[in-house]
Amino acid sequence: MSVTWEEPGWERVAAGAGRCRLPGWDCTAGLVVGTDAVLLVDAGSSLGEGARLRTEAQALTGRRVTHLALTHPHFDHVLGAAAFAGAEVFGAVGMDMALAGRGREELRADAVRHGLDPRAAEEAVDALVRPRHAVCGEWTLDLGGGRQALLANVGPGHTAHDLAVLVPGDPEVVFCGDLVEESGEPQAGPDAVPSHWPAALDRLLELGGEDARYVPGHGAVVDAAFVRAQRDALAARFGVSG
């Protein structure tokens, strides 16, 4: 399916794959379009932001979002998920539990701490949609018309539940979540697993290869050399050998 990517803020990354950079936290949302299905990668930081993404995705494709992949359980990537009623939601194995119980309160508190309006945070957490489909290794989605998306559990690293999305093509596209950041130094919070982060980036490079376009969770699209340099910097920062 041909997409012109004419909605303001959206950019084409490759045939059938694009992304936008959301305001506030410069968080990326990705869109992969087939003839039968539409995959959104990450859902924004609030129900309002999720609704914006839903509307724009439908304007771009003429159809609703049918699949939603959440790259990791941080508020700026998941709190808009409830805006996508009926979508099949995917996350790395264990992410559903990270968004349950005490994890929900920690998510709300983290959102407010980073500047989200408390009422918007409360509303989004109350409506929070957890992944129905847990990706342990790899999961291939057939979106129709020869378009596929490979969901790969590549973590832990930035969190204990990092999911990447590979879109085969020429060039191939890898949606990295916050395993890769371009607009600032990668953030390692209390839920990061620094000892495994460089290995997660090695896995991303194996998935995409030298000629892929790598879409960070925050910032501009980068190449394999950037990912490799960030991998080496993280290994040095956290004292990881190999």
Side-chain angles (χ1 to χ4, degrees):
M1 178 179 177
S2 177
V3 181
T4 60
W5 306 105
E6 291 178 349
E7 281 292 307
W10 286 86
E11 64 176 296
R12 179 185 185 274
V13 182
R19 68 83 175 255
C20 72
R21 292 168 68 170
L22 297 165
W25 295 277
D26 190 25
C27 181
T28 287
L31 195 63
V32 186
V33 186
T35 58
D36 302 327
V38 176
L39 167 68
L40 186 77
V41 182
D42 286 335
S45 64
S46 67
L47 291 177
E49 204 159 65
R52 171 198 156 182
L53 288 170
R54 181 192 65 219
T55 299
E56 293 178 356
Q58 187 153 351
L60 284 165
T61 67
R63 289 178 285 117
R64 70 178 183 86
V65 170
T66 55
H67 298 73
L68 174 61
L70 301 176
T71 62
H72 61 286
H74 284 171
F75 82 93
D76 49 336
H77 297 259
V78 305
L79 285 187
F84 298 91
E88 297 291 336
V89 184
F90 296 78
V93 65
M95 185 174 172
D96 58 335
M97 296 307 298
L99 297 177
R102 183 177 177 182
R104 294 167 69 93
E105 175 54 30
E106 292 174 349
L107 192 68
R108 183 201 64 77
D110 191 47
V112 172
R113 186 165 54 250
H114 281 86
L116 187 64
D117 176 80
R119 283 188 292 182
E122 191 73 34
E123 179 185 35
V125 169
D126 283 347
L128 187 61
V129 172
R130 295 188 289 157
R132 176 185 174 190
H133 304 289
V135 181
C136 182
E138 297 178 351
W139 191 315
T140 299
L141 299 177
D142 185 354
L143 304 178
R147 172 66 61 201
Q148 292 185 329
L150 175 70
L151 312 184
N153 185 340
V154 295
H158 176 66
T159 72
H161 314 288
D162 290 313
L163 187 74
V165 179
L166 168 69
V167 184
D170 186 16
E172 296 194 323
V173 176
V174 182
F175 291 96
C176 307
D178 286 4
L179 286 167
V180 179
E181 295 193 43
E182 185 276 335
S183 55
E185 187 176 82
Q187 299 300 300
D191 58 344
V193 188
S195 62
H196 288 72
W197 200 333
L201 295 189
D202 288 336
R203 179 67 176 131
L204 288 181
L205 291 164
E206 290 171 3
L207 281 173
E210 285 301 306
D211 298 324
R213 305 196 74 195
Y214 294 86
V215 183
H218 302 265
V221 176
V222 300
D223 59 12
F226 182 96
V227 176
R228 189 173 297 106
Q230 194 155 95
R231 181 252 183 242
D232 292 345
L234 286 166
R237 175 178 165 189
F238 297 124
V240 180
S241 60

